[in-house]
Amino acid sequence: MPNLLTTLKQQIDALEQLVNFSDFPEYQEYYFDEQLFNNNKVITDRSFYLEKIKQTYTALTQCVLSQKLTQMTFLSESLVNQIEALTRELATHQLRQKQPETCIEETLSEKHARHLDYLRRLQEMKYELELSTDSLDYKKIATVDNRIYRCEQAIQKIELEMESDV
């Protein structure tokens, strides 16, 4: 296990060098799933995510020392997912679209239609998960249910805006 921790530490150090010596544009949008880094705010500073990775690593090493197997499993999966996500973000940053200088406003009805399409796709995703021949993954279904709920809330908000504009 100490060899694996050493390997993880080396990957984190390499990732830190990438973050520190790279000049990436910042975007005002979510980079990652909220639960991955336990954060629900739009944070464009990649060093914040690196610190979260270091915190997870520290917690993992403490669990290894105290031999808490369940927490070790969870934290190791979280750490690998965090490292993978930040690495992927750093590797694909140039693919992100730059903010256009001229902003094209969409109408409320276009926004409403877009959200209805999101809702439809989320409901299809949930339906496919429920019909899956594999065992039901209740965590994924709960995640999709949460997204459906947030999408429905956004649709209601848009509809209220549309009513107030009329």
Side-chain angles (χ1 to χ4, degrees):
M1 192 59 150
N3 288 339
L4 294 175
L5 288 175
T6 305
T7 303
L8 284 172
K9 182 64 175 153
Q10 290 170 348
Q11 287 182 338
I12 293 170
D13 292 341
L15 198 57
E16 183 174 19
Q17 288 180 350
L18 259 174
V19 169
N20 291 336
F21 296 116
S22 301
D23 184 34
F24 299 116
E26 293 186 356
Y27 298 92
Q28 296 299 319
E29 60 188 47
Y30 287 106
Y31 282 130
F32 308 107
D33 183 56
E34 295 173 7
Q35 294 176 347
L36 183 61
F37 288 96
N38 298 324
N39 179 45
N40 60 357
K41 298 178 185 169
V42 175
I43 297 181
T44 58
D45 182 16
R46 289 175 186 84
S47 60
F48 168 82
Y49 298 107
L50 186 63
E51 287 305 313
K52 287 286 192 177
I53 289 172
K54 288 179 181 180
Q55 290 171 5
T56 305
Y57 175 78
T58 303
L60 176 62
T61 55
Q62 291 170 353
C63 286
V64 168
L65 293 175
S66 61
Q67 298 180 347
K68 296 179 180 176
L69 187 60
T70 307
Q71 290 178 336
M72 277 192 312
T73 304
F74 173 77
L75 288 173
S76 60
E77 288 176 8
S78 296
L79 182 62
V80 168
N81 289 336
Q82 288 174 342
I83 291 172
E84 185 179 290
L86 188 57
T87 302
R88 190 172 40 246
E89 169 61 29
L90 292 172
T92 60
H93 74 279
Q94 71 275 10
L95 299 177
R96 288 185 175 269
Q97 293 181 348
K98 303 231 184 301
Q99 292 292 337
E101 290 184 20
T102 58
C103 184
I104 300 173
E105 291 282 328
E106 68 180 342
T107 64
L108 282 176
S109 59
E110 290 171 338
K111 188 175 182 180
H112 186 255
R114 183 169 48 90
H115 278 72
L116 287 174
D117 185 49
Y118 291 157
L119 180 62
R120 180 193 53 79
R121 293 190 338 222
L122 286 169
Q123 289 169 337
E124 286 176 3
M125 192 182 312
K126 180 181 177 186
Y127 182 72
E128 289 174 9
L129 284 172
E130 291 174 341
L131 292 180
S132 172
T133 57
D134 302 337
S135 62
L136 287 177
D137 189 350
Y138 294 106
K139 187 176 180 182
K140 285 184 181 178
I141 292 173
T143 302
V144 172
D145 277 338
N146 187 21
R147 290 180 180 169
I148 288 172
Y149 173 76
R150 291 193 323 252
C151 190
E152 288 171 342
Q153 295 298 313
I155 290 170
Q156 287 177 355
K157 184 178 176 183
I158 293 168
E159 288 172 350
L160 285 174
E161 282 183 52
M162 291 171 71
E163 288 176 7
S164 67
D165 282 355
V166 174

